[in-house]
Amino acid sequence: MDSSASPVSRWNEIFLVSEPERESWNQHVLDSRNQNLTLAQQELLGWHHKLSHIGLSKIHDLCRQRKHSLNSPQDVRELRDGPFLPCTYNVPNSVCDGLLCSACCISKASRRKPNIRATGKLVKEMTLKEGHLAPGDCISCDHYISPVPGRVISVSGRSSSAHGYTAGTIYVDHSSGWIYHRPQKSTSADETIRGKLLLEREAADVN
């Protein structure tokens, strides 16, 4: 591959993009090669873009021929005869039903909830507390890990963070909602069981 070639040519060599396909990427909706729209519809969309995306029916009215005759002195002539917007093709009679502008569609778009239905059974509120009427009937616990070591309570002054708290366990009583927190240096079984024993001692003092 030639190192002096442009990035676009190197990209085309890598992905083997043909010349007609590369030209189709740059084709605009108003390109004369676009076979999906008639020339009158393309000119209609062109005026729509130039006039800050006004309604297509309004452009039809601005492009139509105007010929007025004074039947009486009370008649008032329009500002001018003929169309206000010069058009090459038959824009006033062009079909605009189903003719969409991408910018207008995006500006009118709105968010909507996805049509997703739950496949499983919904968990009812207070299900975890069902049957746990007295404090201590059931207690849930969970570990957490902190990437920043915490300061040990028993150490004063300057201390190394290598021996700080890096984890902990949170206990929640289902009936009363009482929360107990125990910081730990690791999530090992030894420290977790020690925290459980401290929880039972603390619960006995509370009761």
Side-chain angles (χ1 to χ4, degrees), residues 89-119:
Y89 304 99
N90 191 11
V91 174
N93 296 328
S94 61
V95 179
C96 62
D97 295 339
L99 193 61
L100 300 177
C101 171
S102 59
C104 293
C105 292
I106 294 174
S107 64
K108 295 177 182 178
S110 59
R111 295 182 60 185
R112 60 182 180 180
K113 296 181 179 179
N115 189 15
I116 300 176
R117 295 182 180 180
T119 56

mmCIF file of all heavy atoms in Angstrom, residues 89-119:
data_model
loop_
_atom_site.group_PDB
_atom_site.id
_atom_site.type_symbol
_atom_site.label_atom_id
_atom_site.label_comp_id
_atom_site.label_asym_id
_atom_site.label_seq_id
_atom_site.Cartn_x
_atom_site.Cartn_y
_atom_site.Cartn_z
ATOM 1 N N TYR A 89 -40.486 23.603 -12.474
ATOM 2 C CA TYR A 89 -41.405 22.513 -12.763
ATOM 3 C C TYR A 89 -42.778 22.828 -12.175
ATOM 4 O O TYR A 89 -42.981 23.873 -11.555
ATOM 5 C CB TYR A 89 -40.853 21.194 -12.201
ATOM 6 C CG TYR A 89 -39.472 20.878 -12.718
ATOM 7 C CD1 TYR A 89 -38.335 21.164 -11.951
ATOM 8 C CD2 TYR A 89 -39.292 20.308 -13.970
ATOM 9 C CE1 TYR A 89 -37.067 20.885 -12.427
ATOM 10 C CE2 TYR A 89 -38.030 20.026 -14.452
ATOM 11 C CZ TYR A 89 -36.920 20.322 -13.680
ATOM 12 O OH TYR A 89 -35.667 20.050 -14.159
ATOM 13 N N ASN A 90 -43.705 21.931 -12.357
ATOM 14 C CA ASN A 90 -45.088 22.142 -11.936
ATOM 15 C C ASN A 90 -45.220 21.869 -10.435
ATOM 16 O O ASN A 90 -45.827 20.882 -10.012
ATOM 17 C CB ASN A 90 -46.018 21.232 -12.738
ATOM 18 C CG ASN A 90 -47.474 21.592 -12.532
ATOM 19 O OD1 ASN A 90 -47.791 22.637 -11.951
ATOM 20 N ND2 ASN A 90 -48.365 20.725 -12.990
ATOM 21 N N VAL A 91 -44.650 22.763 -9.640
ATOM 22 C CA VAL A 91 -44.664 22.594 -8.188
ATOM 23 C C VAL A 91 -46.066 22.703 -7.606
ATOM 24 O O VAL A 91 -46.428 21.924 -6.715
ATOM 25 C CB VAL A 91 -43.700 23.602 -7.525
ATOM 26 C CG1 VAL A 91 -43.815 23.548 -6.009
ATOM 27 C CG2 VAL A 91 -42.267 23.315 -7.953
ATOM 28 N N PRO A 92 -46.929 23.660 -8.042
ATOM 29 C CA PRO A 92 -48.253 23.768 -7.406
ATOM 30 C C PRO A 92 -49.090 22.505 -7.510
ATOM 31 O O PRO A 92 -49.926 22.248 -6.638
ATOM 32 C CB PRO A 92 -48.902 24.930 -8.163
ATOM 33 C CG PRO A 92 -47.772 25.724 -8.679
ATOM 34 C CD PRO A 92 -46.705 24.731 -9.012
ATOM 35 N N ASN A 93 -48.893 21.706 -8.537
ATOM 36 C CA ASN A 93 -49.686 20.483 -8.714
ATOM 37 C C ASN A 93 -48.927 19.223 -8.310
ATOM 38 O O ASN A 93 -49.411 18.118 -8.577
ATOM 39 C CB ASN A 93 -50.134 20.356 -10.169
ATOM 40 C CG ASN A 93 -51.072 21.478 -10.567
ATOM 41 O OD1 ASN A 93 -51.838 21.983 -9.748
ATOM 42 N ND2 ASN A 93 -51.008 21.889 -11.831
ATOM 43 N N SER A 94 -47.782 19.385 -7.698
ATOM 44 C CA SER A 94 -47.017 18.207 -7.280
ATOM 45 C C SER A 94 -47.669 17.574 -6.051
ATOM 46 O O SER A 94 -48.249 18.249 -5.210
ATOM 47 C CB SER A 94 -45.566 18.595 -6.961
ATOM 48 O OG SER A 94 -45.531 19.530 -5.903
ATOM 49 N N VAL A 95 -47.563 16.265 -5.977
ATOM 50 C CA VAL A 95 -48.171 15.527 -4.864
ATOM 51 C C VAL A 95 -47.261 15.617 -3.644
ATOM 52 O O VAL A 95 -46.072 15.295 -3.715
ATOM 53 C CB VAL A 95 -48.392 14.051 -5.255
ATOM 54 C CG1 VAL A 95 -48.995 13.268 -4.091
ATOM 55 C CG2 VAL A 95 -49.279 13.965 -6.483
ATOM 56 N N CYS A 96 -47.822 16.103 -2.528
ATOM 57 C CA CYS A 96 -47.027 16.219 -1.301
ATOM 58 C C CYS A 96 -47.489 15.246 -0.223
ATOM 59 O O CYS A 96 -46.945 15.260 0.890
ATOM 60 C CB CYS A 96 -47.067 17.653 -0.763
ATOM 61 S SG CYS A 96 -48.711 18.225 -0.306
ATOM 62 N N ASP A 97 -48.502 14.414 -0.510
ATOM 63 C CA ASP A 97 -48.937 13.402 0.456
ATOM 64 C C ASP A 97 -47.847 12.352 0.614
ATOM 65 O O ASP A 97 -47.418 11.735 -0.362
ATOM 66 C CB ASP A 97 -50.233 12.736 -0.013
ATOM 67 C CG ASP A 97 -51.406 13.707 -0.050
ATOM 68 O OD1 ASP A 97 -51.321 14.738 0.649
ATOM 69 O OD2 ASP A 97 -52.376 13.449 -0.787
ATOM 70 N N GLY A 98 -47.418 12.142 1.830
ATOM 71 C CA GLY A 98 -46.341 11.185 2.093
ATOM 72 C C GLY A 98 -44.960 11.733 1.858
ATOM 73 O O GLY A 98 -43.973 11.015 2.033
ATOM 74 N N LEU A 99 -44.857 13.008 1.461
ATOM 75 C CA LEU A 99 -43.543 13.625 1.252
ATOM 76 C C LEU A 99 -43.041 14.139 2.598
ATOM 77 O O LEU A 99 -43.666 15.005 3.223
ATOM 78 C CB LEU A 99 -43.661 14.768 0.251
ATOM 79 C CG LEU A 99 -42.355 15.338 -0.325
ATOM 80 C CD1 LEU A 99 -41.594 14.261 -1.073
ATOM 81 C CD2 LEU A 99 -42.651 16.518 -1.244
ATOM 82 N N LEU A 100 -41.924 13.604 3.060
ATOM 83 C CA LEU A 100 -41.430 13.896 4.404
ATOM 84 C C LEU A 100 -40.077 14.581 4.334
ATOM 85 O O LEU A 100 -39.285 14.353 3.429
ATOM 86 C CB LEU A 100 -41.304 12.607 5.224
ATOM 87 C CG LEU A 100 -42.590 11.801 5.439
ATOM 88 C CD1 LEU A 100 -42.287 10.525 6.196
ATOM 89 C CD2 LEU A 100 -43.633 12.622 6.170
ATOM 90 N N CYS A 101 -39.835 15.445 5.312
ATOM 91 C CA CYS A 101 -38.539 16.098 5.493
ATOM 92 C C CYS A 101 -37.887 15.492 6.728
ATOM 93 O O CYS A 101 -38.509 15.436 7.790
ATOM 94 C CB CYS A 101 -38.735 17.607 5.644
ATOM 95 S SG CYS A 101 -37.239 18.500 6.132
ATOM 96 N N SER A 102 -36.659 15.030 6.584
ATOM 97 C CA SER A 102 -35.992 14.361 7.699
ATOM 98 C C SER A 102 -35.806 15.290 8.895
ATOM 99 O O SER A 102 -35.988 14.880 10.043
ATOM 100 C CB SER A 102 -34.643 13.806 7.244
ATOM 101 O OG SER A 102 -33.818 14.851 6.743
ATOM 102 N N ALA A 103 -35.461 16.570 8.648
ATOM 103 C CA ALA A 103 -35.264 17.507 9.755
ATOM 104 C C ALA A 103 -36.570 17.754 10.501
ATOM 105 O O ALA A 103 -36.588 17.840 11.733
ATOM 106 C CB ALA A 103 -34.694 18.814 9.234
ATOM 107 N N CYS A 104 -37.681 17.871 9.767
ATOM 108 C CA CYS A 104 -38.982 18.089 10.408
ATOM 109 C C CYS A 104 -39.403 16.865 11.215
ATOM 110 O O CYS A 104 -39.976 16.998 12.301
ATOM 111 C CB CYS A 104 -40.035 18.426 9.367
ATOM 112 S SG CYS A 104 -39.782 20.008 8.541
ATOM 113 N N CYS A 105 -39.122 15.683 10.705
ATOM 114 C CA CYS A 105 -39.476 14.470 11.434
ATOM 115 C C CYS A 105 -38.696 14.353 12.735
ATOM 116 O O CYS A 105 -39.239 13.951 13.770
ATOM 117 C CB CYS A 105 -39.229 13.243 10.557
ATOM 118 S SG CYS A 105 -40.339 13.106 9.136
ATOM 119 N N ILE A 106 -37.413 14.724 12.689
ATOM 120 C CA ILE A 106 -36.591 14.655 13.902
ATOM 121 C C ILE A 106 -37.052 15.683 14.925
ATOM 122 O O ILE A 106 -37.110 15.412 16.128
ATOM 123 C CB ILE A 106 -35.107 14.858 13.541
ATOM 124 C CG1 ILE A 106 -34.608 13.689 12.681
ATOM 125 C CG2 ILE A 106 -34.248 14.997 14.786
ATOM 126 C CD1 ILE A 106 -33.203 13.872 12.155
ATOM 127 N N SER A 107 -37.419 16.888 14.467
ATOM 128 C CA SER A 107 -37.851 17.935 15.406
ATOM 129 C C SER A 107 -39.177 17.603 16.070
ATOM 130 O O SER A 107 -39.437 18.039 17.191
ATOM 131 C CB SER A 107 -37.960 19.268 14.675
ATOM 132 O OG SER A 107 -38.973 19.207 13.678
ATOM 133 N N LYS A 108 -40.030 16.821 15.398
ATOM 134 C CA LYS A 108 -41.328 16.455 15.960
ATOM 135 C C LYS A 108 -41.279 15.149 16.748
ATOM 136 O O LYS A 108 -42.303 14.748 17.316
ATOM 137 C CB LYS A 108 -42.359 16.324 14.839
ATOM 138 C CG LYS A 108 -42.647 17.628 14.107
ATOM 139 C CD LYS A 108 -43.614 17.398 12.969
ATOM 140 C CE LYS A 108 -43.866 18.689 12.188
ATOM 141 N NZ LYS A 108 -44.779 18.470 11.031
ATOM 142 N N ALA A 109 -40.135 14.508 16.780
ATOM 143 C CA ALA A 109 -40.036 13.223 17.465
ATOM 144 C C ALA A 109 -40.142 13.411 18.969
ATOM 145 O O ALA A 109 -39.794 14.458 19.523
ATOM 146 C CB ALA A 109 -38.714 12.530 17.110
ATOM 147 N N SER A 110 -40.634 12.418 19.649
ATOM 148 C CA SER A 110 -40.771 12.435 21.104
ATOM 149 C C SER A 110 -40.422 11.061 21.647
ATOM 150 O O SER A 110 -40.529 10.050 20.947
ATOM 151 C CB SER A 110 -42.193 12.824 21.517
ATOM 152 O OG SER A 110 -43.140 11.905 20.982
ATOM 153 N N ARG A 111 -40.028 11.053 22.895
ATOM 154 C CA ARG A 111 -39.662 9.794 23.531
ATOM 155 C C ARG A 111 -40.920 9.018 23.902
ATOM 156 O O ARG A 111 -41.944 9.580 24.271
ATOM 157 C CB ARG A 111 -38.843 10.052 24.792
ATOM 158 C CG ARG A 111 -37.492 10.698 24.537
ATOM 159 C CD ARG A 111 -36.735 10.881 25.824
ATOM 160 N NE ARG A 111 -36.501 9.624 26.499
ATOM 161 C CZ ARG A 111 -35.935 9.512 27.703
ATOM 162 N NH1 ARG A 111 -35.557 10.596 28.359
ATOM 163 N NH2 ARG A 111 -35.759 8.341 28.260
ATOM 164 N N ARG A 112 -40.852 7.719 23.813
ATOM 165 C CA ARG A 112 -41.954 6.872 24.229
ATOM 166 C C ARG A 112 -41.398 5.615 24.896
ATOM 167 O O ARG A 112 -40.278 5.190 24.618
ATOM 168 C CB ARG A 112 -42.839 6.501 23.053
ATOM 169 C CG ARG A 112 -42.134 5.735 21.952
ATOM 170 C CD ARG A 112 -43.092 5.458 20.811
ATOM 171 N NE ARG A 112 -42.443 4.715 19.741
ATOM 172 C CZ ARG A 112 -43.051 4.341 18.622
ATOM 173 N NH1 ARG A 112 -44.312 4.670 18.436
ATOM 174 N NH2 ARG A 112 -42.408 3.667 17.694
ATOM 175 N N LYS A 113 -42.197 5.067 25.762
ATOM 176 C CA LYS A 113 -41.758 3.906 26.509
ATOM 177 C C LYS A 113 -41.699 2.685 25.589
ATOM 178 O O LYS A 113 -42.566 2.507 24.738
ATOM 179 C CB LYS A 113 -42.711 3.632 27.670
ATOM 180 C CG LYS A 113 -42.740 4.733 28.718
ATOM 181 C CD LYS A 113 -43.685 4.372 29.844
ATOM 182 C CE LYS A 113 -43.704 5.475 30.903
ATOM 183 N NZ LYS A 113 -44.642 5.145 32.007
ATOM 184 N N PRO A 114 -40.680 1.870 25.744
ATOM 185 C CA PRO A 114 -40.612 0.663 24.902
ATOM 186 C C PRO A 114 -41.726 -0.312 25.257
ATOM 187 O O PRO A 114 -42.148 -0.407 26.414
ATOM 188 C CB PRO A 114 -39.227 0.079 25.234
ATOM 189 C CG PRO A 114 -38.914 0.623 26.597
ATOM 190 C CD PRO A 114 -39.547 1.992 26.660
ATOM 191 N N ASN A 115 -42.202 -1.007 24.263
ATOM 192 C CA ASN A 115 -43.290 -1.965 24.450
ATOM 193 C C ASN A 115 -42.717 -3.285 24.972
ATOM 194 O O ASN A 115 -42.539 -4.257 24.236
ATOM 195 C CB ASN A 115 -44.032 -2.171 23.135
ATOM 196 C CG ASN A 115 -45.295 -2.996 23.324
ATOM 197 O OD1 ASN A 115 -45.757 -3.181 24.454
ATOM 198 N ND2 ASN A 115 -45.846 -3.491 22.239
ATOM 199 N N ILE A 116 -42.394 -3.273 26.272
ATOM 200 C CA ILE A 116 -41.787 -4.443 26.907
ATOM 201 C C ILE A 116 -42.683 -4.897 28.051
ATOM 202 O O ILE A 116 -43.107 -4.093 28.883
ATOM 203 C CB ILE A 116 -40.375 -4.122 27.433
ATOM 204 C CG1 ILE A 116 -39.463 -3.683 26.278
ATOM 205 C CG2 ILE A 116 -39.780 -5.332 28.149
ATOM 206 C CD1 ILE A 116 -38.094 -3.261 26.723
ATOM 207 N N ARG A 117 -42.979 -6.155 28.071
ATOM 208 C CA ARG A 117 -43.786 -6.729 29.133
ATOM 209 C C ARG A 117 -42.931 -7.648 29.994
ATOM 210 O O ARG A 117 -42.044 -8.329 29.500
ATOM 211 C CB ARG A 117 -44.963 -7.517 28.556
ATOM 212 C CG ARG A 117 -45.972 -6.656 27.795
ATOM 213 C CD ARG A 117 -47.136 -7.496 27.299
ATOM 214 N NE ARG A 117 -48.101 -6.675 26.575
ATOM 215 C CZ ARG A 117 -49.202 -7.153 26.033
ATOM 216 N NH1 ARG A 117 -49.483 -8.458 26.135
ATOM 217 N NH2 ARG A 117 -50.037 -6.348 25.392
ATOM 218 N N ALA A 118 -43.220 -7.626 31.281
ATOM 219 C CA ALA A 118 -42.471 -8.468 32.209
ATOM 220 C C ALA A 118 -42.801 -9.933 31.945
ATOM 221 O O ALA A 118 -43.967 -10.308 31.806
ATOM 222 C CB ALA A 118 -42.814 -8.099 33.644
ATOM 223 N N THR A 119 -41.765 -10.752 31.853
ATOM 224 C CA THR A 119 -41.961 -12.178 31.581
ATOM 225 C C THR A 119 -42.220 -12.971 32.850
ATOM 226 O O THR A 119 -42.935 -13.967 32.824
ATOM 227 C CB THR A 119 -40.726 -12.746 30.871
ATOM 228 O OG1 THR A 119 -39.545 -12.490 31.671
ATOM 229 C CG2 THR A 119 -40.534 -12.081 29.510
#
